[in-house]
Amino acid sequence: MPKTLADLRSRRWFSASDMRAFAHRQRTQQMGLRREDVLDKPIVAIVNTWSDLSPCHAHLRERAESVKRGVLMAGGYPFELPAMSLGEVMVKPTTMLYRNFLAMEVEELLRSLPIDGAVLLAGCDKTTPGTLMGAISMGLPSIFCPAGPMLNDRHQGKTVGAGTHTRMFWDEMQAGKIGPAEWVHLESRMTRSPGTCNTMGTASTMTSMTEALGLSLPGSTSIPAMDSAHTRMATACGERIVQMIWDDLTPQRILTRGSFMNAVAVQMALGGSTNAAVHIIALARRAGIELTLDDLDAMSRRIPVIANLFPSGDRLMEDFYYAGGLPALMNVIAHELRLSELTVTGKSVGDNLRGREVLDAEVIRPLTQPVSQGGTLAVLRGNLAPEGAVMKASAANPKFFKHRGRALVFDSQPQMQAAMLDADLDVDENTVLVLRNAGPVGAPGMPEWGGLPIPKKLLQQGVRDMLRLSDARMSGTHYGSCVLHISPESAVGGPLALVRTGDTIAIDIEARSLELLVDEQEIARRRAAWVAPVQPYTRGFTKLYQQHVTQAHEGCDFDFLQGAAPTPEPVIY
Ligand code: FES
């Protein structure tokens, strides 16, 4: 039902003739607003994850001004609301610890203030799911304005991408192939401008999936952060949200199981980050929609990787933009999409895709010439991962798709890091490296420790990949044969806690299995003797997190935030 002025949520704050509404109007006039600005217009929140310590969001203050211009032109009134800025690289111990914090903050910002609709300005790995989770739970019309990827860069004539090449060059330095002067020079390369990582890491995976969900403007995801088209897109977001408010176009009307399957299809065609497996399930649960790891695995088996982007391919997001961006890619896999799903444009996915063709078939490949036929993501199960684990098959070495090896187990990240430098470490290229106590509760926050480094002595022998297992996550920009998100995690007694150095571990990607080859009686003995690790967190947000976070296969949301039941509106007095 279209809304009238009298239906606006903000009217509850501003329109009454009592003392409280007087005070609300008075305080906006205190800031220089006219009486009619809040009485006669929809109020738009611009939720901004900018901060001086968040390079991916460094330009969002300026973009907020563009959004405001769009809101004003469309007859709304904008208010910019700062929200926790989670720049992936600086925030410790891990941004994942704070994704739910941001989600709660966004939900409560929108609930507690006189807001009719929201533009979400975000884009780094956790700010996209964090802001969306909050907006979905609050249920106001919302549009996502992606921060946009940083510009391409080159080093010694070769394309280099954020994250992916950092790890590559680090391994080369450990192997003695890069000297100190080049290493220092590389600090100024790969990250050429503000904006999100220019590889198909978690940031671009999540913003692309958001666009596929129908929550951002078609084609907005791949626009480089520093392109003037990005500024125009931000203005368009501001303009669009005003009409969305009048049309009452809420996330609940846009999000369906079909739209989530569209997002999953896009993840697979892009060779997207494994982190999306956690975030998309969390988002679906916020919307009250059933989505499981099995849905992701089934889609991965059907859709090959067709985006030639690091780490699965060899191009960057700017190339993807020139090649036609996400709408062009979605047209290639249109037969797998639910084209009738509604989007923020007020039109269907199919309407939005019309006429958006591939402009460079080397970057967005036809289905007959995929980057990887094997699929993006494999969901593994077995006695080591009863609730599932994931592996980015498109960025792994096929030699480990069927493998048996001797486990070398580490109980903590510092222990593992120190061992990697040990010239006498008992390890060879067939060893299976295992890291535990790195999951949602154990670490806590499930950091990106799952791309375990290769032991230095093997790097020097030319080894660049090994089979690695953990209950942690891995950066979406990284690559390697890493089994991640093992669930349930070791810190809550999952089977990973029972592995010992010297055990044999078997993996079979085609069969989707991950097994600890130890007899059941021995496993039962170890389980009986297992003691949960002592946790030092006795107060604060981390304590709350450990008490309420769900496991990886459930999305790592807080148990009390899942589900579609709305929290009651605040009493206005
Ligand atoms: Fe923010 Fe990669 S660090 S997008």
Side-chain angles (χ1 to χ4, degrees):
M1 271 287 279
K3 280 196 167 162
T4 66
L5 199 56
D7 300 325
L8 291 179
R9 180 174 179 269
S10 58
R11 301 281 292 186
R12 297 184 61 223
W13 273 258
F14 294 122
S15 68
S17 56
D18 59 13
M19 188 192 77
R20 189 52 59 194
F22 167 88
H24 296 153
R25 292 190 298 270
Q26 178 191 44
R27 293 300 175 154
T28 57
Q29 293 199 32
Q30 179 186 4
M31 296 186 289
L33 274 72
R34 302 167 306 169
R35 192 168 194 267
E36 58 268 33
D37 289 337
V38 292
L39 262 182
D40 298 345
K41 295 177 169 61
I43 304 295
V44 174
I46 301 171
V47 177
N48 196 347
T49 55
W50 167 89
S51 101
D52 266 336
L53 268 174
S54 184
C56 319
H57 304 128
H59 54 305
L60 293 187
R61 255 181 162 176
E62 292 85 51
R63 292 300 174 277
E65 296 306 314
S66 304
V67 176
K68 285 178 191 170
R69 195 160 61 240
V71 171
L72 290 168
M73 285 190 311
Y77 201 89
F79 288 92
E80 189 177 346
L81 306 177
M84 188 180 200
S85 186
L86 298 174
E88 193 63 23
V89 178
M90 298 290 180
V91 175
K92 308 296 176 196
T94 165
T95 51
M96 188 62 184
L97 185 64
Y98 298 109
R99 183 202 64 179
N100 297 348
F101 189 106
L102 174 61
M104 289 175 78
E105 184 186 16
V106 170
E107 181 178 349
E108 301 308 329
L109 271 177
L110 299 179
R111 188 188 328 286
S112 59
L113 291 166
I115 302 299
D116 297 308
V119 178
L120 310 171
L121 268 175
C124 193
D125 298 18
K126 308 307 180 299
T127 58
T128 298
T131 53
L132 286 173
M133 287 159 73
I136 291 169
S137 292
M138 187 52 205
L140 299 178
S142 299
I143 188 168
F144 185 81
C145 178
M150 64 181 83
L151 297 174
N152 280 5
D153 201 5
R154 293 176 77 75
H155 174 65
Q156 296 178 346
K158 292 207 175 104
T159 298
V160 285
T164 303
H165 282 85
T166 304
R167 168 50 66 93
M168 237 177 240
F169 289 137
W170 172 250
D171 284 351
E172 294 306 309
M173 195 182 76
Q174 296 292 297
K177 304 224 156 118
I178 284 181
E182 186 177 354
W183 181 245
V184 169
H185 173 69
L186 283 167
E187 274 180 22
S188 63
R189 300 263 56 91
M190 295 171 265
T191 51
R192 193 175 141 223
S193 75
T196 51
C197 288
N198 50 14
T199 44
M200 186 41 70
T202 307
S204 289
T205 303
M206 288 313 302
T207 52
S208 299
M209 291 173 83
T210 301
E211 186 177 322
L213 281 169
L215 295 176
S216 52
L217 293 175
S220 57
T221 296
S222 57
I223 303 173
M226 293 295 107
D227 195 303
S228 52
H230 195 269
T231 309
R232 295 194 294 274
M233 181 273 292
T235 305
C237 287
E239 203 168 25
R240 180 66 199 145
I241 188 63
V242 176
Q243 190 58 45
M244 286 174 67
I245 291 169
W246 292 127
D247 294 343
D248 199 24
L249 189 48
T250 60
Q252 282 64 25
R253 286 183 56 203
I254 292 172
L255 297 175
T256 63
R257 181 166 160 85
S259 61
F260 274 93
M261 292 311 289
N262 286 346
V264 172
V266 157
Q267 178 194 0
M268 302 313 161
L270 287 170
S273 164
T274 46
N275 284 322
V278 176
H279 300 314
I280 197 70
I281 288 174
L283 286 163
R285 287 180 169 222
R286 288 287 181 123
I289 291 166
E290 171 83 8
L291 188 76
T292 67
L293 286 177
D294 292 333
D295 292 317
L296 275 62
D297 190 73
M299 193 65 85
S300 179
R301 286 181 184 271
R302 285 211 301 277
I303 298 188
V305 180
I306 57 168
N308 181 17
L309 300 169
F310 284 111
S312 300
D314 61 10
R315 301 296 181 89
L316 295 170
M317 285 301 288
E318 197 177 331
D319 304 309
F320 188 58
Y321 175 58
Y322 301 139
L326 195 68
L329 176 133
M330 289 175 74
N331 262 325
V332 179
I333 57 165
H335 58 288
E336 291 285 355
L337 302 178
R338 279 65 164 179
L339 296 172
S340 60
E341 298 299 338
L342 187 60
T343 72
V344 288
T345 63
K347 298 180 193 155
S348 70
V349 171
D351 287 340
N352 292 342
L353 296 185
R354 203 154 293 130
R356 310 290 290 265
E357 302 303 329
V358 174
L359 303 174
D360 184 345
E362 185 47 39
V363 179
I364 302 175
R365 302 271 186 87
L367 288 165
T368 50
Q369 274 180 282
V371 176
S372 158
Q373 189 66 60
T376 294
L377 191 83
V379 175
L380 310 174
R381 285 202 170 77
N383 69 352
L384 247 185
E387 298 289 358
V390 302
M391 184 186 201
K392 188 167 185 174
S394 61
N397 187 335
K399 117 177 193 190
F400 293 112
F401 284 8
K402 190 162 184 162
H403 181 76
R404 276 182 186 210
R406 173 184 162 273
L408 176 56
V409 181
F410 302 101
D411 284 317
S412 73
Q413 210 264 2
Q415 180 201 18
M416 179 268 293
Q417 287 288 5
M420 292 300 123
L421 302 174
D422 182 355
D424 297 323
L425 190 67
D426 183 13
V427 67
D428 64 36
E429 63 187 52
N430 293 315
T431 303
V432 181
L433 302 179
V434 176
L435 175 65
R436 61 184 166 215
N437 300 320
V441 174
M446 205 184 176
E448 292 184 335
W449 295 341
L452 280 71
I454 306 294
K456 188 170 179 179
K457 78 176 207 185
L458 295 182
L459 283 173
Q460 289 166 342
Q461 292 166 20
V463 176
R464 291 292 183 272
D465 198 6
M466 296 173 70
L467 183 60
R468 292 160 268 176
L469 266 57
S470 73
D471 43 14
R473 296 175 301 113
M474 177 174 81
S475 167
T477 62
H478 286 180
Y479 54 91
S481 304
C482 302
V483 176
L484 311 157
H485 310 187
I486 290 179
S487 185
E489 64 173 303
S490 57
V492 299
L496 194 64
L498 310 177
V499 184
R500 290 186 183 166
T501 292
D503 290 347
T504 301
I505 289 173
I507 188 171
D508 185 336
I509 297 295
E510 184 51 37
R512 299 296 201 251
S513 71
L514 181 66
E515 300 288 343
L516 176 64
L517 302 182
V518 171
D519 76 59
E520 277 305 315
Q521 285 173 338
E522 172 59 16
I523 290 177
R525 266 195 297 278
R526 292 181 191 181
R527 185 175 302 288
W530 179 75
V531 179
V534 176
Q535 288 293 345
Y537 304 99
T538 57
R539 63 176 298 279
F541 178 76
T542 308
K543 170 93 174 157
L544 176 83
Y545 185 94
Q546 287 186 311
Q547 284 175 339
H548 292 286
V549 70
T550 61
Q551 288 293 292
H553 69 284
E554 301 168 310
C556 297
D557 202 353
F558 287 156
D559 50 12
F560 59 88
L561 291 175
Q562 299 179 121
T567 301
E569 283 280 347
V571 174
I572 310 282
Y573 68 94

